[in-house]
Amino acid sequence: MDPNVLIEALRGTMDPALREAAERKLTEGQKTANFVSTLLQITMSEPLELPVRQASVIYLKNMITQHWPNREPTPGEQPPFTIPDEDRQWIRENIVEAIIHSPELIRVQLTTCIHHIIKHDYPGCWTALVDKIGFYLQSDNSACWLGILLCLYQLVKNYEYKKPEERSPLVAAMQIFLPMLKDRFIQLLPDPSDQSVLIQKQILKIFFALMQYTLPLELITQQNLTEWIEIFKTVVDRDVPAETLQVDEDDRPELPWWKCKKWALHILARIFERYGSPGNVSKEYTEFAELFLKAYAVSIQQVLLKVLYHYKEKHYVAPRVLQQTLNYINQGVAHALTWKNLKPHIHGIVRDVIFPLMCYTDADEELWQEDPYEYIRMKFDVFEDFISPTTAAQTLLFTSCSKRKEVLQKTMAFCYQTLTEPSADPRKKDGALHMIGSLAETLLKKKIYKDQMEFMLQNHVFPLFSSELGYMRARACWVLHYFCEVKFKSDQNLQTALELTRRCLIDDKELPVKVEAAIALQVLISNQEKAKEYISPFIRPVMQALLHIVRETENDDLTNVIQKMICEYSEEVTPIAVEMTQHLAMTFNQVIQTGSEEDGNDDKAVTAMGILNTIDTLLSVVEDHKEITQQLEGICLQVIGTVLQQHVLEFYEEIFSLAHSLTCQQVSPQMWQLLPVVFDIFQQDGFDYFTDMMPLLHNYVTVDTDTLLSDTKYLEMIYSMCKKVLTGVAGEDAECHAAKLLEVIILQCKDRGIDQCIPLFVEAALERLTREVKTSELRTMCLQVGIAGLYYSPPLLLNTLENLRFPNNTESVTNHFITQWLNDIDCFLGLHDRKMCVLGLCALIELEQRPQVLNQVASQILPAFILLFSGLKRAYACRAENENDSDDDEDGEEEDETEELGSDEDDIDEDGQEYLEILAKHAGEDGDDDEWEDDAEETALEGYNTVIDEDDCPVDEYQIFKAILQTLQTRDPSWYQALTHGLNEEQGKHLQDIATLADQRRAAQESKMIEKHGGYKFGAPVVPASFNFGASPQGMN
């Protein structure tokens, strides 16, 4: 393509008047030869103005990410466009140089391009990449180094998350590059220029990506490990140039000097935690861990203690550097060798590093005053915890105090001294309480402390609720939250705690205080038996306050609080459920409205989901109150309508769950009007959400079958959805759901006149079996649609099978269906599927006009029954056991006096070790997880109940089987002979056991009926709780 035409089109995209024509020109040119390579040439053209080069590289990136790999054409559609081979070859030959020579703005986009190319082409058709990287790494021209390291970084990143056995191409390349990187780093260390430090940072990032999840031991020798560790220690230990202090403190962490230290520490902490802690690593790293601990861990710790000393002396230390330093030190607490070195310093670290980090700061105060919403977001952001030095300090404090002797005692003495000092700065009191709250779990397990905690709350926390300082009131609530499990000896103290927290929630003017109070109140109610009763009279104002705070803060933790409160106070909430749901619906609309207008709206999405789940919880609480449910339905339908009309895909799962909850008891005319909307959504947004729709569709079929059958369009829509899933590319999980729904309809509508549907349903399911099926679940589910058809009407099903014709299949469908079913009999699991199989086979053997194929497979039929009944016995026992378990769930009180370690003891995580070994063992197996799952457990789709699964269902497979076999014995002796011929003694005994069990089940059923009508009850011996298949009954009666 002519470069000048392309340049003009790219220029045109920046001019609003020309943009549309320019974009059309670019779209037309996409598929012409050399289009993509010309884009790279323009990107590399230095004389061109930067905006044109930027437009070119962005277009290039989009082309490569969308059209680089070869894709399989979808049957019946045009083959998808891919970038021509000659273009791809030209780009592979030139993109490395483009990255080396481009300015930063261009380079960022090009690294995304090379990442995609490596992903698809390395090592297969781009082995030359390794030669090119090696050439430029060895070059004396330092201007090449940063660019080539970015290329190498993308190569490593492509393998970062892969299993060790998939990383061999990377390991082979790094055999060459790792020594080069080490030599280059050592050469750069004396050079203090910004460019040198940037290159060092990039090498450290490559090293981290190489070993973050797997340490390639074949690349590590004791010699090169020693050299690398020395490099990391040097980087951490070296001084940062004085001129960096001129940079604003908020911007300093972004300077390459601090970035270098951060990555060096990240590597050291990662090696120690994942590969260097004996007793806590998987088997392949045992030797490495011993070496690391003995040879390096202490000397590294010495360097890191200097970092903490700098912080103590009020020198600037970047937050992430401090965080990673504390992470490493925390790892050292568990090992006698590192602890011995750390022990003399630990109290100084607690006092001079951890304590200041846990105190309320000027930055906290500024944020609280200027933007309390952001303050709340930051304090509750789990991602903030991963990078926060305060969280790292809290973890180190907890580990030291819970694992090492004397640390807790001295720490508590320090905190107590701070709290009792009359003139102490309130911020220091805040820090002391922050430390005590962080240790709550340990304190409540130790006899010496746990009895004192109530007095601590009474004397040092309750008074803070009247403090003029908002952050102190918030801290008071926070401490109550963390000590919510205290055993209050005085009811008055518990009442005081609840009353103070409740008032903070309802009356405090500061939003962060209200948020902490909300969480504290909920955990106190959940953990203190008498608390629920005390708060009960105030539930309306408490709930109103919670709803207002959720609306104001859009904080997800608070939606969880409301959900738990609803469950605690289901009766009290019922009268205000409508008001609450209206409030939540308005908040939801506000959240998604503002979320769509703002960037980075992930937090808002989580909150919106929390609100939808809260509405769902409210629905479940009031499900027995029909008139309230009807009022809630209208509000919920507005919310559902908003999401579906705006196609907010991320909330579809919650929306369909809401709709399901609204249809569990009955399906109103308004909810039936939703079905066509759901059908349209399915047509537009594909089948990605079919499994989310399934519980709702199941309700339409089973809860209001009369309306379903009153208008053919309803059944047509549901069938159409199932058919589209079974003939499309939705994946086998969705296909299993579609087949299950067809089976449910057949069973639900037995004797309801849907004969004309059976052939369509059966054809849709069995046609799917003519194409590749990967899982036995899908195969059995499709067969089960046919089995359900057989149960519905044997003559109709057999007639359907006889008339079915599938392309490329000469065998009779009837023969194929029956033989496949019997061959797969061991794949039918759970209770429902086995019961259906028994009922289907019963219908088959009872036929007077039998298909010819039955005579050929007669000898397989009774062994199949025996296998099914054996599985059913386990499944019924499993269900009974689960029901008993749920009745017997009682929480035993835990008294855990944690054993502290002596100075010369290591903390070995034996449970973790065992877990790692199990994982490693199973990772090495071929995904064969049969041993991991009990075939008696309920299958994933068994939750979709049908009429034959109901407790009072009169259809008993044991009794039906026994009756049919007895009838055949007299009515059709030759067929009976064909079925029983060839059974061995053990199989005969199994049949006798099944017959005995059938009688016991009939007796139990009769007993239940008499009891239901007010009659007598059978004594326990007549209906055993479990049945012994091993008994020797006398003949079949």
Side-chain angles (χ1 to χ4, degrees):
M1 188 174 184
D2 183 348
N4 294 320
V5 173
L6 197 44
I7 290 166
E8 283 313 306
L10 291 164
R11 271 202 193 100
T13 60
M14 291 174 272
D15 182 341
L18 304 173
R19 183 174 298 141
E20 203 175 310
E23 285 176 351
R24 200 163 48 246
K25 190 87 177 163
L26 289 169
T27 307
E28 287 165 6
Q30 272 183 18
K31 294 180 183 177
T32 56
N34 304 324
F35 176 80
V36 183
S37 45
T38 308
L39 282 173
L40 183 56
Q41 287 171 34
I42 294 167
T43 299
M44 293 165 72
S45 175
E46 290 184 20
L48 271 175
E49 63 269 39
L50 193 58
V52 173
R53 293 173 69 190
Q54 271 183 280
S56 180
V57 76
I58 289 167
Y59 211 92
L60 174 69
K61 179 189 75 175
N62 293 338
M63 288 293 292
I64 286 175
T65 52
Q66 289 168 35
H67 304 297
W68 189 271
N70 288 320
R71 289 195 173 88
E72 288 296 314
T74 309
E77 290 185 15
Q78 285 286 320
F81 169 72
T82 52
I83 295 167
D85 284 344
E86 57 271 26
D87 270 6
R88 286 192 280 190
Q89 184 56 34
W90 196 91
I91 287 167
R92 282 194 291 263
E93 286 169 4
N94 292 280
I95 192 164
V96 170
E97 285 73 14
I99 290 171
I100 287 170
H101 299 300
S102 294
E104 175 67 14
L105 284 171
I106 305 280
R107 186 181 277 165
V108 170
Q109 306 292 344
L110 286 173
T111 52
T112 305
C113 295
I114 200 169
H115 182 89
H116 276 270
I117 298 169
I118 291 168
K119 181 180 175 182
H120 297 291
D121 290 5
Y122 180 82
C125 50
W126 200 17
T127 47
L129 175 66
V130 171
D131 301 331
K132 203 163 254 198
I133 292 172
F135 173 77
Y136 284 111
L137 272 181
Q138 289 173 302
S139 163
D140 294 331
N141 179 3
S142 61
C144 301
W145 295 345
L146 185 57
I148 202 62
L149 287 169
L150 288 169
C151 296
L152 177 54
Y153 183 55
Q154 294 308 322
L155 174 63
V156 177
K157 287 293 280 183
N158 259 299
Y159 288 89
E160 188 172 15
Y161 303 107
K162 294 198 172 176
K163 294 176 185 169
E165 60 271 21
E166 295 170 346
R167 283 165 54 110
S168 50
L170 174 69
V171 171
M174 293 310 288
Q175 297 276 17
I176 303 163
F177 299 143
L178 204 57
M180 289 184 190
L181 294 177
K182 176 172 60 65
D183 294 343
R184 187 63 76 212
F185 206 119
I186 292 166
Q187 178 194 342
L188 288 166
L189 271 172
D191 178 357
S193 68
D194 276 4
Q195 187 62 14
S196 163
V197 181
L198 268 174
I199 293 167
Q200 291 171 45
K201 180 199 82 174
Q202 198 55 50
I203 293 173
L204 293 169
K205 285 180 74 173
I206 289 167
F207 195 98
F208 182 76
L210 177 67
M211 51 62 70
Q212 181 177 194
Y213 292 106
T214 305
L215 186 67
L217 293 169
E218 57 270 59
L219 297 178
I220 306 287
T221 64
Q222 189 164 354
Q223 172 62 34
N224 68 31
L225 181 62
T226 302
E227 290 178 290
W228 276 111
I229 298 284
E230 283 308 312
I231 288 170
F232 304 143
K233 281 161 55 181
T234 304
V235 170
V236 173
D237 199 28
R238 69 185 173 193
D239 292 331
V240 174
E243 62 266 23
T244 60
L245 294 172
Q246 310 305 314
V247 176
D248 186 273
E249 196 167 306
D250 289 345
D251 298 328
R252 272 182 229 164
E254 295 306 308
L255 296 172
W257 288 93
W258 286 112
K259 283 275 186 88
C260 255
K261 285 179 183 288
K262 178 191 85 172
W263 283 107
L265 281 159
H266 216 352
I267 292 166
L268 291 170
R270 188 64 170 174
I271 291 176
F272 198 5
E273 173 213 357
R274 196 172 173 91
Y275 315 110
S277 286
N280 299 299
V281 296
S282 49
K283 219 172 265 178
E284 68 268 31
Y285 301 122
T286 306
E287 199 178 319
F288 177 87
E290 297 289 345
L291 168 69
F292 180 83
L293 187 67
K294 286 179 184 157
Y296 307 109
V298 174
S299 66
I300 293 167
Q301 189 168 267
Q302 283 294 100
V303 173
L304 271 55
L305 288 170
K306 282 172 71 177
V307 175
L308 297 184
Y309 179 77
H310 277 292
Y311 177 79
K312 176 208 163 191
E313 292 298 303
K314 305 285 186 284
H315 297 303
Y316 176 80
V317 178
R320 289 298 303 279
V321 169
L322 189 55
Q323 179 233 357
Q324 291 293 350
T325 301
L326 291 166
N327 284 354
Y328 184 96
I329 301 281
N330 179 60
Q331 199 64 33
V333 172
H335 301 286
L337 201 63
T338 37
W339 174 247
K340 198 173 176 185
N341 174 255
L342 180 61
K343 190 180 174 184
H345 307 280
I346 193 67
H347 297 298
I349 291 171
V350 169
R351 188 182 62 242
D352 300 322
V353 179
I354 293 175
F355 176 60
L357 280 168
M358 297 187 79
C359 291
Y360 189 73
T361 64
D362 289 341
D364 289 333
E365 177 63 21
E366 188 181 327
L367 193 56
W368 180 302
Q369 297 301 337
E370 289 181 5
D371 191 348
Y373 301 101
E374 179 57 21
Y375 179 87
I376 292 163
R377 191 203 64 74
M378 198 184 79
K379 290 294 173 190
F380 288 93
D381 185 354
V382 289
F383 297 108
E384 194 72 33
D385 289 348
F386 288 120
I387 59 170
S388 158
T390 303
T391 307
Q394 208 169 315
T395 307
L396 173 57
L397 177 71
F398 183 81
T399 307
S400 309
C401 288
S402 56
K403 289 193 174 159
R404 293 296 176 182
K405 289 177 179 169
E406 297 177 17
V407 183
L408 180 62
Q409 187 187 341
K410 290 188 178 176
T411 300
M412 288 305 288
F414 169 72
C415 291
Y416 184 72
Q417 185 188 345
T418 307
L419 288 176
T420 50
E421 196 177 309
S423 57
D425 177 352
R427 291 188 180 189
K428 289 189 172 176
K429 285 193 174 184
D430 174 77
L433 287 168
H434 195 173
M435 285 168 71
I436 292 170
S438 302
L439 295 170
E441 187 185 325
T442 300
L443 293 169
L444 290 174
K445 285 177 183 170
K446 297 201 178 287
K447 289 190 179 76
I448 185 172
Y449 292 110
K450 72 176 181 181
D451 294 336
Q452 299 176 33
M453 289 302 107
E454 182 174 352
F455 301 115
M456 185 274 295
L457 296 175
Q458 189 180 344
N459 297 326
H460 299 292
V461 177
F462 292 173
L464 296 181
F465 279 92
S466 50
S467 168
E468 291 177 3
L469 300 166
Y471 72 85
M472 291 304 276
R473 299 195 300 278
R475 179 62 68 201
C477 295
W478 182 89
V479 174
L480 281 181
H481 166 189
Y482 278 84
F483 282 99
C484 63
E485 293 178 15
V486 161
K487 300 275 183 289
F488 282 98
K489 291 191 171 63
S490 154
D491 284 356
Q492 185 53 52
N493 280 335
L494 172 59
Q495 282 194 22
T496 304
L498 290 162
E499 182 58 18
L500 290 169
T501 314
R502 181 184 72 81
R503 280 193 201 151
C504 266
L505 168 65
I506 291 169
D507 301 328
D508 207 295
K509 299 288 182 280
E510 304 269 12
L511 209 51
V513 180
K514 290 168 101 73
V515 171
E516 290 290 3
I519 293 167
L521 188 63
Q522 181 262 306
V523 293
L524 280 168
I525 290 166
S526 294
N527 287 281
Q528 300 288 339
E529 224 174 282
K530 295 175 180 174
K532 183 176 175 182
E533 192 184 330
Y534 179 78
I535 291 295
S536 188
F538 308 105
I539 200 64
R540 179 186 280 270
V542 164
M543 283 302 195
Q544 285 171 333
L546 286 170
L547 290 166
H548 282 294
I549 305 169
V550 167
R551 182 174 297 178
E552 240 184 302
T553 62
E554 298 180 355
N555 179 291
D556 178 51
D557 292 79
L558 294 178
T559 59
N560 291 331
V561 166
I562 296 179
Q563 281 177 54
K564 286 173 183 167
M565 292 287 277
I566 290 167
C567 296
E568 291 283 356
Y569 291 101
S570 52
E571 281 180 38
E572 293 83 349
V573 161
T574 300
I576 56 170
V578 174
E579 185 186 328
M580 287 181 69
T581 308
Q582 284 170 333
H583 202 289
L584 286 163
M586 288 168 71
T587 306
F588 176 78
N589 285 333
Q590 171 192 305
V591 172
I592 65 166
Q593 208 55 51
T594 54
S596 60
E597 293 160 11
E598 294 174 15
D599 289 337
N601 60 356
D602 286 354
D603 292 341
K604 287 181 176 287
V606 171
T607 304
M609 284 178 192
I611 292 168
L612 294 174
N613 290 328
T614 307
I615 295 174
D616 217 345
T617 306
L618 269 170
L619 281 171
S620 66
V621 161
V622 302
E623 66 184 0
D624 295 331
H625 301 267
K626 204 169 177 182
E627 68 293 345
I628 297 177
T629 308
Q630 284 171 350
Q631 287 176 272
L632 295 188
E633 186 181 281
I635 305 165
C636 293
L637 276 170
Q638 288 175 351
V639 173
I640 292 168
T642 302
V643 171
L644 296 182
Q645 283 155 17
Q646 295 181 21
H647 294 275
V648 193
L649 305 181
E650 60 201 312
F651 303 136
Y652 276 10
E653 186 179 339
E654 287 73 20
I655 283 303
F656 292 128
S657 174
L658 260 189
H660 164 253
S661 297
L662 289 166
T663 51
C664 285
Q665 306 294 321
Q666 60 170 35
V667 186
S668 69
Q670 289 79 10
M671 290 309 294
W672 276 108
Q673 286 170 20
L674 181 65
L675 179 56
V677 180
V678 170
F679 181 65
D680 290 343
I681 290 294
F682 173 83
Q683 302 282 55
Q684 291 167 36
D685 296 323
F687 1 69
D688 295 347
Y689 301 94
F690 182 76
T691 53
D692 297 326
M693 294 172 179
M694 175 77 174
L696 170 63
L697 298 174
H698 176 258
N699 277 0
Y700 279 125
V701 173
T702 57
V703 176
D704 191 1
T705 315
D706 291 344
T707 308
L708 175 79
L709 299 178
S710 68
D711 189 331
T712 54
K713 71 177 182 192
Y714 295 137
L715 211 45
E716 281 169 9
M717 283 189 275
I718 294 175
Y719 164 68
S720 170
M721 291 161 84
C722 295
K723 170 93 172 164
K724 191 168 180 182
V725 169
L726 286 165
T727 52
V729 288
E732 296 203 359
D733 183 43
E735 291 174 317
C736 282
H737 281 76
K740 179 68 186 179
L741 193 52
L742 293 176
E743 184 216 7
V744 171
I745 296 169
I746 296 171
L747 294 176
Q748 191 69 27
C749 300
K750 182 171 162 62
D751 304 323
R752 298 291 298 267
I754 61 158
D755 294 24
Q756 75 284 8
C757 300
I758 303 299
L760 295 171
F761 291 7
V762 170
E763 181 178 5
L766 298 187
E767 188 279 329
R768 178 61 188 88
L769 295 179
T770 63
R771 288 173 281 121
E772 187 195 9
V773 174
K774 291 175 182 164
T775 61
S776 61
E777 287 84 358
L778 178 58
R779 200 167 59 249
T780 53
M781 202 57 251
C782 288
L783 288 170
Q784 216 158 288
V785 176
I787 297 166
L790 192 60
Y791 177 69
Y792 179 94
S793 165
L796 177 58
L797 187 274
L798 293 171
N799 186 44
T800 299
L801 295 180
E802 282 306 311
N803 291 319
L804 273 182
R805 292 289 177 271
F806 292 126
N808 309 321
N809 204 337
T810 52
E811 189 186 3
S812 147
V813 174
T814 310
N815 290 10
H816 187 75
F817 170 71
I818 290 171
T819 52
Q820 181 78 57
W821 177 10
L822 287 168
N823 288 340
D824 279 338
I825 213 80
D826 59 333
C827 298
F828 289 85
L829 305 175
L831 216 158
H832 171 89
D833 296 4
R834 289 186 175 113
K835 182 172 179 176
M836 277 307 299
C837 262
V838 169
L839 294 173
L841 286 175
C842 282
L844 210 52
I845 63 171
E846 194 186 15
L847 287 169
E848 293 189 20
Q849 300 294 315
R850 289 185 296 276
Q852 187 58 37
V853 67
L854 273 190
N855 297 321
Q856 298 160 21
V857 296
S859 61
Q860 291 176 249
I861 293 175
L862 284 180
F865 272 118
I866 290 165
L867 185 69
L868 290 167
F869 279 117
S870 169
L872 276 168
K873 181 199 173 189
R874 294 196 302 277
Y876 278 116
C878 186
R879 186 169 76 172
E881 195 179 315
N882 289 341
E883 284 168 3
N884 289 338
D885 285 351
S886 59
D887 293 341
D888 297 344
D889 275 353
E890 287 176 15
D891 293 333
E893 190 175 321
E894 195 180 305
E895 180 74 36
D896 179 14
E897 185 73 24
T898 313
E899 203 53 46
E900 290 165 332
L901 299 167
S903 290
D904 56 352
E905 288 182 287
D906 289 317
D907 182 30
I908 295 174
D909 177 10
E910 288 173 3
D911 291 343
Q913 273 292 100
E914 196 178 327
Y915 177 64
L916 286 171
E917 281 168 27
I918 289 170
L919 280 185
K921 174 174 173 272
H922 281 277
E925 293 171 4
D926 299 332
D928 182 8
D929 56 0
D930 286 356
E931 291 174 40
W932 288 58
E933 69 176 17
D934 186 343
D935 71 353
E937 288 282 356
E938 192 176 90
T939 63
L941 294 170
E942 216 161 318
Y944 295 109
N945 264 19
T946 69
V947 284
I948 71 159
D949 305 311
E950 290 167 9
D951 288 341
D952 56 355
C953 172
V955 179
D956 184 273
E957 64 278 23
Y958 283 84
Q959 293 172 58
I960 289 171
F961 170 70
K962 181 187 172 188
I964 286 174
L965 218 53
Q966 283 178 331
T967 305
L968 288 178
Q969 199 169 2
T970 53
R971 190 192 78 196
D972 196 343
S974 60
W975 174 230
Y976 180 82
Q977 177 61 29
L979 289 169
T980 53
H981 177 70
L983 288 180
N984 59 33
E985 191 180 336
E986 190 185 345
Q987 288 170 323
K989 187 169 164 303
H990 278 308
L991 285 179
Q992 304 291 1
D993 293 346
I994 294 164
T996 304
L997 191 41
D999 293 339
Q1000 290 169 335
R1001 287 169 70 91
R1002 188 183 66 241
Q1005 214 170 28
E1006 287 169 359
S1007 168
K1008 202 182 271 185
M1009 289 300 293
I1010 293 167
E1011 189 183 325
K1012 191 175 173 182
H1013 293 99
Y1016 66 87
K1017 298 181 186 179
F1018 280 116
V1022 180
V1023 190
S1026 62
F1027 301 108
N1028 177 11
F1029 272 80
S1032 310
Q1034 298 300 309
M1036 282 190 92
N1037 301 322

